[in-house]
Amino acid sequence: MESLGVPEPPRKRRRKMPVSTKPYVFRPLLEDIALAEEGHTAKVHITCVELWDVNLYIGTSAAEILHYVAIPPDPDDTTTDPSYIFASRLQPTFNQSAAGSSPPGVQQILVLPNVTKACVLCNGTLTFYSLPELSPAFGTVVSGCSWIGGENMNPSDEQDEDGQTVMICLKSRIRLVRIGKEPRKVRDIEYPSGLAIARRDNFACVADARAYALLDVENQQKISLFPISSLDENAASGQVEDISTVHEHSRPSSGIGEPRGHGRSTSLGTLVTGIGRRSPQSRSQDRSGRNTPEPGFRAASPLRPSDRPRSGSATGDSNERPSVPKLLPPAPERTIPQQAVQTSPAKSSSKLKPHVCSPTPNEFLLTTGTSPEEPGVGIFVNLDGDVVRGTIQFDRYPISILVDVSDENSTAPADATQPGGYVLASILQHRDDGDREVIEVQDISSESHAEYLDIPFPFEEDNSGCTKMNMGNAKLRNILSYTSASFHEVGDRLHKVRLDLPRSNPTGEAGIETTPLTANTDWEEERNQEEQAFGRRLGMQSSRILLWSGSSIWWLVRNPLVLRLDGSIDTIVDAMSAGTEIGENRDEILRILASIREYEANTETEFLSLEYIRQKSSLILFADALSRDQSTPGSGELQIEDLVNSGLDPRILLSLVPLLREEVVEGSKGIWVHAGLTSLVEHYATLPLATSDDGTRQKISRHAEWMNLIKQYLMAWRQRKGFGSIADEVEVFQTTDAALLLLLLHQDSQHASRSGIPPASRSELYSLVDNGVDCFQRAITLLERYRRLYVLSRLYQNRKMAGKVLATWRRIIEGEQDAGNELRDGENEVRKYLAKIRDISLIHEYGTWLARRNAGLGVQVFADDSSRVKFAPQEVVELLKDKAPEAVKVYLEHLVFGKKNSRYANNLITYYLDSVLQVLETSGEARSVLAQSYESYRALQPPKPTYRQFIMDNAVPEAWWQDRLRLLELLGGSHGADFSYDLGHILRRIEPYEEDLVPESIILDGRQGRHQQALRLLTHGLGDYHTAVNYCLMGGASIFHPISGSLTPSEASMKEDQAVLFDYLLTEFLRIEDVSNRLERTRELLERFGSWYDIKDVLNMIPESWSVELVSGFLISAFRRLVHEKNEAMVVKALSGAENLQVAAALVEKCSTVGPQVEETQLG
């Protein structure tokens, strides 16, 4: 290598560069290349570059080509780029006489990989070589060539068997040549001195020194577009011309230079002969492929189907003439954008270099301007020559230009969803220290502002010893082969590391003191290695854009999305930390979030990059919102959707909130986040927001808006339960549930301290515990701390822990503090809950507990027919006798009165008797109350209610009084005639209290058949005349039963028995001491129930001193009854006689009809 004058460059270590926010970054390919051999004094610079596979070809201004070969780096070493070693130096053949005094050197290197050939244009002479070593091919040389290229930019679906078609710009025409095993002419196009071409199938956009034109290379038609310089008023525009050659003639080649380098000395003289006009006949023969080949080269077949217009490709067999392809449309009426035509009259036109690019299969990008020092304009035209899209404004007219699209073969223009529609142009930018070459980058699909890349020109010392930048004409080019550049910064940000949070619980549920794990365990070290290896795979970026200037070559690689956005965010964070323009900086982060909200990731790197940016932005905005001094945060600044969709572990955000920090659960393996977030989290952890336990805690607690923001965020996270994509799901949802519960408790307690009205957070708190929480033990601790026992019971209900629910309710009912005071009618709630469970032991325990507190509700637990567990009455009675004796009577009342179960009536009577007699025995006041009730009732004047109704209406608010009423109801026969009880036992017990228990004695006398004694007590003991009458009507079977009664008149004794009882009653009425009362009651009895009395017996019983008028009503009714009975008997007698006559007449008529019958009797 040293003998060739080019030292082998050492293997390069990748430079560590600051993070750039620009869309592209520079990566050095080769720097300070020894372009000239030793002893060469003239200054040499690079003129063109091409890279194919591992072969790098560098053309110089010294008319030489340097061939380098790439040596790939070690696959395990991602810190180095490929190295290039020098392979050979080639001096292409050119015509020295035609090169001029200042030849440009190697102008173009066109590599045709499909045919493994290369075309080299050097000082106006075109030569051909074989790849990769650039050995001479074909032995041909073409002089007078100004440009070569025009290969079809659209992909071909067919195998290229005949070679690859290129376009050679000669002085007077453009020649299409197909390069294969040998060069073959396809056709000539009348277009002299072409300088740039871009071709899509049969349509090519070309430029000469003055203007652009659109060519149909198949039909050889041209549409003139617009001039390169808008000051050129003589350039034709919008004209459709036929540019086929009319005459063909031979032109001998001349000026072939002496061979150098490899010693090649050949010419392609006949290739450039016959350049003249052709007749239409010859033109049609040329298109059909049947023209006669010119001397010196073979005739080529017409353009391949891939080179023909898509809408007009020929079909048919090989013997048929192909159909005529689609012609160019009429010339459009175009309006050149105003930026391109606004000129100053004082300025003259300067020669501008044309630029032609094709961003999509349907468009070409052309440049126009006034002078190199003035702005330039990029104009898009379609295949019909119409101006499309908007224009692109360049600060100065470009030196070189190219288009970088994500998929240049797409049929649609690049848009925002296809990251990478960019136009790159090298321009001279005016600065205070002079002009400098930069790369201007503009988005092809939007009107975003341009960005500028400073070219990293090397520095050198001038003759005076001063260091200055060595700038040259920087050129851009899209090369054939893509190369991969590694951005280790991407992996450094996106791989995950373990995050150490301050004062959090590393292994257990929140709030539980645990011992932290050691910093490095085997599994952690292994995962760290896996994450680092994974990160190294993420930073690969492909590019095929080269930039060269002077003696250096750089890659121009798209800056990864994560580095661009991360760099922008870091700049904003620095500004926010400095306290300058906080609002504007915050809006910038929001704009970044909005810009990627609809972005669809196509690769794993893009997915992780977007996730990282969302998480970092959300973390910054969240911390900023909590750290601001305003009393309320701005509305609409931070969207909950952005926080949740960022995928940022909520434990990280909660660790920044002092009120909630203790609820963070790290778990046994800790929290793993993108490495690029660790420094930010650590930064916020050192701020007063995260370190103050007093002021900041109170500040956040006061701000309802912030608390609501965190609450909504945690609620949104709870909705993600069950998502398989959530790492550390157990610890994450333990943390979110505990934090949300604590937040709701805090809000609820604050509101309760200000107002007795339940806050809105109450329903949210109920919903949380009712739906279950993952932090069960922590939830118990928090609820106990805040004295929210009722909410704790709801938490137990969600877990079906019936024993805990009942125990908690018992604590509340027995008086333990419940801060929310939410358990209303707690005893009834216990009863209803016991009816829903099946645990018999719990029902026994809490049913008897409830029966001791509230016998009525306790009894319902065992008596409710809707309960899931049914109990036998005897079992309940025994249980209550043992655990709640006071409730036995209530349960028996339920059985006897509610269920009409007379089996337990005797037991209930016994309980009632015990209750009443115990009071009478021990309380003289109770006996006086009874005596007073009798006197009060007797003192009432008729009409008056029955004694039973009287004592009910004037009931004493004592338990024994109610028991006596129920006792009277039972003894009086409320359960029917079949109901019986131990009469003797009851008589023995109440015998000492007969004067106090008059109604009871009456009922018992009636039960024994002592009706006269019962009526005597009713008449004289109580003075209850109405009940006495009813006693007679009912035959003495039942009194003191409910108003509805349990006996109907049909069940009473026969009338004879009633008559006897009425006789007894009349006797007792006649003995009433009060004369007026006696007369009134006797008169009323006889008038109402006179039918039960015999008039003779009554007249014998009443005193002779009574006047007839006193019993006139009875007598009148009695006489009427007697007359009625007599008349009735007479009517019956008459009816019977008439009936007898009817029967006799019927007999006579029958006998007459039958007639006499003679019966003969034989005498024996």
Side-chain angles (χ1 to χ4, degrees):
M1 293 293 178
E2 295 292 341
S3 62
L4 296 175
V6 179
E8 180 179 355
R11 185 174 294 275
K12 303 188 299 298
R13 205 80 178 159
R14 183 183 296 112
R15 297 177 181 175
K16 288 190 176 180
M17 296 178 147
V19 176
S20 172
T21 61
K22 303 297 184 181
Y24 287 85
V25 294
F26 293 95
R27 286 292 180 87
L29 179 64
L30 286 176
E31 295 179 304
D32 299 328
I33 305 172
L35 300 177
E37 295 179 317
E38 292 183 1
H40 194 283
T41 59
K43 188 173 182 179
V44 181
H45 63 272
I46 299 174
T47 57
C48 58
V49 179
E50 184 58 272
L51 177 67
W52 173 64
D53 198 12
V54 297
N55 301 280
L56 176 64
Y57 306 106
I58 303 173
T60 70
S61 60
E64 293 180 334
I65 296 178
L66 305 183
H67 180 197
Y68 284 83
V69 178
I71 304 299
D74 186 350
D76 296 331
D77 184 7
T78 60
T79 62
T80 58
D81 290 324
S83 296
Y84 289 86
I85 61 173
F86 181 74
S88 64
R89 185 189 299 271
L90 172 68
Q91 296 175 341
T93 301
F94 63 91
N95 189 337
Q96 293 183 353
S97 62
S101 58
S102 57
V106 178
Q107 298 165 269
Q108 286 180 267
I109 301 175
L110 178 62
V111 175
L112 306 176
N114 292 339
V115 294
T116 64
K117 296 294 186 292
C119 307
V120 177
L121 178 60
C122 180
N123 292 330
T125 302
L126 178 64
T127 53
F128 301 89
Y129 300 90
S130 296
L131 300 176
E133 69 281 356
L134 295 185
S135 59
F138 308 143
T140 56
V141 176
V142 180
S143 298
C145 181
S146 59
W147 196 87
I148 183 171
E151 62 270 34
N152 188 11
M153 298 176 67
N154 288 341
S156 174
D157 294 333
E158 298 183 5
Q159 182 69 25
D160 195 356
E161 299 178 353
D162 299 332
Q164 192 167 351
T165 302
V166 299
M167 301 176 71
I168 303 172
C169 294
L170 304 175
K171 291 183 179 180
S172 58
R173 60 182 50 84
I174 295 175
R175 173 161 292 176
L176 270 70
V177 177
R178 182 165 296 165
I179 307 297
K181 295 180 181 179
E182 57 183 353
R184 295 183 179 181
K185 172 185 170 182
V186 177
R187 68 175 55 86
D188 288 339
I189 300 174
E190 192 70 22
Y191 193 88
S193 302
L195 297 179
I197 299 178
R199 181 166 67 92
R200 295 284 187 174
D201 290 333
N202 291 334
F203 295 97
C205 188
V206 300
D208 55 18
R210 296 184 62 187
Y212 298 100
L214 185 64
L215 302 182
D216 182 345
V217 298
E218 177 72 12
N219 297 300
Q220 300 192 44
Q221 290 184 336
K222 178 183 78 171
I223 294 180
S224 299
L225 296 177
F226 46 80
I228 300 171
S229 173
S230 58
L231 299 177
D232 188 355
E233 299 178 355
N234 297 322
S237 176
Q239 298 179 0
V240 179
E241 305 176 34
D242 191 334
I243 54 174
S244 59
T245 57
V246 180
H247 302 289
E248 294 185 356
H249 61 276
S250 297
R251 178 184 300 175
S253 61
S254 61
I256 303 300
E258 295 293 328
R260 297 190 298 162
H262 291 287
R264 297 186 296 272
S265 179
T266 58
S267 68
L268 190 62
T270 55
L271 181 63
V272 296
T273 60
I275 300 178
R277 299 217 174 249
R278 295 177 293 174
S279 63
Q281 291 83 354
S282 64
R283 185 167 64 249
S284 63
Q285 290 173 353
D286 185 32
R287 286 196 300 269
S288 64
R290 293 196 291 265
N291 59 314
T292 303
E294 297 185 11
F297 58 90
R298 296 176 180 268
S301 62
L303 295 178
R304 302 184 309 276
S306 62
D307 296 326
R308 299 180 184 273
R310 289 185 295 274
S311 61
S313 58
T315 58
D317 57 28
S318 59
N319 296 326
E320 295 179 354
R321 182 179 179 128
S323 61
V324 179
K326 183 185 78 172
L327 302 178
L328 281 173
E333 295 182 1
R334 69 178 56 80
T335 302
I336 302 301
Q338 193 67 23
Q339 304 98 302
V341 298
Q342 289 180 352
T343 61
S344 174
K347 293 186 178 180
S348 61
S349 176
S350 300
K351 185 175 182 181
L352 301 177
K353 180 181 178 181
H355 300 292
V356 181
C357 301
S358 180
T360 70
N362 301 317
E363 294 175 324
F364 297 102
L365 173 61
L366 316 175
T367 59
T368 183
T370 56
S371 71
E373 293 78 18
E374 295 295 327
V377 177
I379 302 174
F380 294 92
V381 297
N382 60 17
L383 299 182
D384 295 330
D386 297 325
V387 175
V388 294
R389 296 181 184 255
T391 60
I392 295 180
Q393 180 79 31
F394 301 104
D395 282 0
R396 286 195 180 181
Y397 191 84
I399 300 171
S400 62
I401 187 173
L402 62 80
V403 177
D404 182 24
V405 293
S406 57
D407 183 7
E408 67 177 9
N409 296 314
S410 173
T411 58
D415 55 24
T417 62
Q418 295 178 339
Y422 290 105
V423 177
L424 294 86
S426 61
I427 65 170
L428 280 173
Q429 188 179 58
H430 178 72
R431 297 187 178 180
D432 294 338
D433 56 351
D435 289 347
R436 175 170 178 175
E437 287 187 60
V438 296
I439 303 299
E440 183 176 2
V441 182
Q442 299 193 52
D443 194 329
I444 197 174
S445 59
S446 65
E447 297 181 358
S448 59
H449 65 279
E451 298 193 57
Y452 302 93
L453 310 178
D454 288 338
I455 302 173
F457 292 113
F459 289 87
E460 63 179 12
E461 291 186 1
D462 58 11
N463 297 332
S464 61
C466 298
T467 301
K468 65 176 183 178
M469 186 176 292
N470 182 19
M471 292 191 300
N473 287 333
K475 301 293 180 62
L476 292 165
R477 175 173 172 77
N478 275 322
I479 58 174
L480 288 173
S481 300
Y482 281 92
T483 188
S484 295
S486 176
F487 289 82
H488 68 90
E489 299 90 346
V490 175
D492 293 344
R493 285 164 171 77
L494 298 185
H495 83 279
K496 292 192 174 182
V497 296
R498 184 175 180 177
L499 181 66
D500 293 327
L501 293 178
R503 297 177 60 186
S504 59
N505 298 284
T507 59
E509 286 198 350
I512 304 175
E513 293 296 333
T514 54
T515 303
L517 298 178
T518 56
N520 289 310
T521 58
D522 293 339
W523 68 265
E524 186 174 354
E525 186 64 29
E526 181 180 355
R527 178 165 180 182
N528 281 330
Q529 294 176 0
E530 292 175 353
E531 290 290 343
Q532 291 172 2
F534 174 72
R536 287 192 291 268
R537 297 196 301 267
L538 296 177
M540 303 306 296
Q541 196 81 0
S542 297
S543 177
R544 66 187 190 100
I545 303 176
L546 284 182
L547 172 74
W548 63 87
S549 178
S551 60
S552 299
I553 307 173
W554 299 273
W555 288 109
L556 203 54
V557 188
R558 286 198 186 182
N559 196 9
L561 178 67
V562 64
L563 298 184
R564 293 181 57 195
L565 297 180
D566 195 40
S568 300
I569 292 175
D570 287 342
T571 303
I572 296 170
V573 171
D574 293 340
M576 294 173 70
S577 301
T580 58
E581 299 180 351
I582 293 178
E584 294 183 6
N585 292 321
R586 192 183 309 117
D587 292 341
E588 286 296 327
I589 294 183
L590 291 172
R591 277 193 286 269
I592 291 176
L593 272 178
S595 67
I596 62 174
R597 188 170 292 133
E598 303 299 329
Y599 195 106
E600 294 184 4
N602 297 317
T603 64
E604 184 179 29
T605 301
E606 287 184 359
F607 176 82
L608 294 176
S609 298
L610 295 174
E611 179 185 72
Y612 169 78
I613 295 301
R614 291 188 183 106
Q615 292 182 3
K616 187 168 185 177
S617 302
S618 299
L619 176 61
I620 294 169
L621 292 172
F622 183 83
D624 173 68
L626 296 182
S627 61
R628 269 179 274 160
D629 294 332
Q630 296 95 312
S631 60
T632 58
S635 60
E637 294 184 352
L638 182 59
Q639 299 296 326
I640 299 300
E641 180 183 0
D642 290 332
L643 275 178
V644 176
N645 292 339
S646 70
L648 181 63
D649 194 320
R651 294 175 291 179
I652 298 174
L653 297 182
L654 296 177
S655 68
L656 304 180
V657 184
L659 179 67
L660 307 176
R661 183 188 304 123
E662 294 180 358
E663 311 310 320
V664 175
V665 181
E666 287 193 52
S668 59
K669 295 186 177 180
I671 301 174
W672 291 75
V673 297
H674 294 296
L677 298 178
T678 55
S679 60
L680 196 60
V681 175
E682 293 171 357
H683 168 70
Y684 287 129
T686 61
L687 295 179
L689 165 70
T691 57
S692 173
D693 290 330
D694 298 325
T696 306
R697 181 188 293 265
Q698 296 174 2
K699 171 183 174 182
I700 293 179
S701 300
R702 287 197 309 268
H703 295 165
E705 291 80 2
W706 287 335
M707 297 183 73
N708 287 331
L709 171 69
I710 300 173
K711 179 177 67 177
Q712 293 171 16
Y713 169 68
L714 294 174
M715 287 180 174
W717 252 100
R718 275 177 53 84
Q719 296 177 2
R720 298 166 67 92
K721 282 189 178 182
F723 287 17
S725 59
I726 298 176
D728 302 327
E729 182 178 11
V730 174
E731 291 79 9
V732 167
F733 289 113
Q734 280 184 358
T735 300
T736 55
D737 286 355
L740 180 57
L741 178 60
L742 176 58
L743 196 62
L744 291 173
L745 287 172
H746 192 79
Q747 281 188 319
D748 194 79
S749 63
Q750 282 190 325
H751 190 282
S753 63
R754 298 191 300 265
S755 172
I757 302 174
S761 59
R762 184 72 55 85
S763 61
E764 296 170 339
L765 180 60
Y766 289 164
S767 177
L768 175 65
V769 296
D770 290 347
N771 291 320
V773 293
D774 292 354
C775 58
F776 183 68
Q777 293 299 328
R778 180 57 177 170
I780 295 175
T781 303
L782 291 174
L783 292 171
E784 291 282 5
R785 178 193 301 173
Y786 279 83
R787 313 301 299 170
R788 301 304 294 273
L789 298 183
Y790 176 72
V791 182
L792 177 61
S793 71
R794 297 183 71 131
L795 178 65
Y796 288 137
Q797 287 186 63
N798 175 261
R799 291 291 183 101
K800 309 297 183 184
M801 302 174 69
K804 294 288 187 180
V805 174
L806 293 168
T808 306
W809 283 352
R810 179 162 62 181
R811 291 167 59 189
I812 299 173
I813 294 172
E814 290 180 348
E816 189 169 342
Q817 181 187 2
D818 178 29
N821 194 24
E822 299 146 280
L823 184 62
R824 308 292 183 182
D825 193 9
E827 292 177 349
N828 192 45
E829 289 297 323
V830 172
R831 179 196 65 78
K832 292 189 289 186
Y833 189 75
L834 289 173
K836 298 176 183 178
I837 63 176
R838 298 180 181 275
D839 192 324
I840 296 178
S841 62
L842 289 177
I843 297 175
H844 282 175
E845 178 183 357
Y846 288 95
T848 55
W849 168 81
L850 185 59
R852 288 193 296 271
R853 292 185 57 86
N854 187 328
L857 288 177
V859 165
Q860 292 181 37
V861 173
F862 302 100
D864 192 351
D865 292 333
S866 63
S867 299
R868 292 191 174 186
V869 179
K870 304 294 190 296
F871 295 93
Q874 188 59 40
E875 178 187 359
V876 177
V877 170
E878 295 299 327
L879 179 65
L880 293 177
K881 285 181 178 179
D882 182 39
K883 301 291 185 180
E886 299 83 358
V888 175
K889 181 187 68 173
V890 179
Y891 182 69
L892 291 175
E893 288 176 344
H894 168 75
L895 293 177
V896 175
F897 294 106
K899 297 293 186 181
K900 306 300 181 184
N901 189 343
S902 60
R903 177 181 175 183
Y904 297 93
N906 277 315
N907 294 337
L908 185 57
I909 289 174
T910 300
Y911 269 94
Y912 287 152
L913 278 176
D914 291 342
S915 174
V916 174
L917 295 180
Q918 183 179 2
V919 172
L920 293 178
E921 182 179 356
T922 59
S923 174
E925 182 182 359
R927 301 179 72 172
S928 64
V929 167
L930 288 176
Q932 182 66 33
S933 69
Y934 300 147
E935 294 178 4
S936 299
Y937 184 74
R938 285 195 296 266
L940 295 177
Q941 295 298 321
K944 59 183 179 181
T946 64
Y947 179 73
R948 182 179 183 278
Q949 187 65 38
F950 173 77
I951 60 176
M952 289 182 64
D953 294 342
N954 299 275
V956 177
E958 298 287 345
W960 67 270
W961 187 274
Q962 300 298 325
D963 290 344
R964 182 176 178 243
L965 293 178
R966 288 296 184 96
L967 177 62
L968 289 173
E969 187 175 340
L970 285 176
L971 295 177
S974 61
H975 283 65
D978 296 334
F979 171 64
S980 63
Y981 43 82
D982 191 349
L983 184 62
H985 173 73
I986 297 173
L987 285 172
R988 286 192 299 272
R989 295 199 62 185
I990 70 171
E991 184 177 1
Y993 307 99
E994 285 185 350
E995 294 183 0
D996 299 313
L997 302 176
V998 176
E1000 289 82 353
S1001 299
I1002 295 171
I1003 295 171
L1004 294 177
D1005 286 341
R1007 283 280 181 171
Q1008 297 176 87
R1010 299 167 58 184
H1011 302 301
Q1012 191 170 4
Q1013 176 66 19
L1015 290 172
R1016 183 179 297 113
L1017 291 176
L1018 282 171
T1019 304
H1020 305 291
L1022 290 180
D1024 188 356
Y1025 310 119
H1026 182 77
T1027 302
V1029 172
N1030 284 338
Y1031 185 89
C1032 298
L1033 290 174
M1034 303 301 294
S1038 175
I1039 62 170
F1040 295 106
H1041 55 75
I1043 297 175
S1044 59
S1046 59
L1047 295 175
T1048 61
S1050 62
E1051 294 175 326
S1053 302
M1054 298 301 293
K1055 192 171 183 178
E1056 291 78 4
D1057 296 333
Q1058 295 174 349
V1060 173
L1061 294 177
F1062 275 113
D1063 285 343
Y1064 290 156
L1065 183 60
L1066 178 60
T1067 301
E1068 297 303 327
F1069 277 8
L1070 292 173
R1071 294 177 181 174
I1072 296 175
E1073 295 182 359
D1074 186 270
V1075 176
S1076 61
N1077 193 19
R1078 180 197 317 158
L1079 294 175
E1080 183 64 25
R1081 300 281 75 75
T1082 303
R1083 183 183 62 79
E1084 182 182 2
L1085 177 65
L1086 292 175
E1087 288 180 357
R1088 290 181 60 192
F1089 303 101
S1091 60
W1092 270 271
Y1093 292 98
D1094 184 86
I1095 188 173
K1096 181 179 179 180
D1097 294 336
V1098 172
L1099 292 175
N1100 290 330
M1101 293 176 64
I1102 62 175
E1104 294 182 358
S1105 59
W1106 286 17
S1107 65
V1108 176
E1109 185 179 1
L1110 292 177
V1111 292
S1112 60
F1114 167 71
L1115 294 176
I1116 293 173
S1117 62
F1119 290 145
R1120 285 177 178 174
R1121 186 170 62 253
L1122 291 175
V1123 172
H1124 176 74
E1125 290 176 354
K1126 177 182 178 181
N1127 293 335
E1128 184 178 352
M1130 292 176 63
V1131 171
V1132 170
K1133 181 179 179 181
L1135 291 174
S1136 297
E1139 184 179 7
N1140 184 41
L1141 290 176
Q1142 287 179 348
V1143 173
L1147 177 62
V1148 172
E1149 184 179 356
K1150 187 68 175 176
C1151 291
S1152 300
T1153 303
V1154 174
Q1157 292 184 357
V1158 178
E1159 296 183 358
E1160 295 180 2
T1161 304
Q1162 294 181 0
L1163 298 176

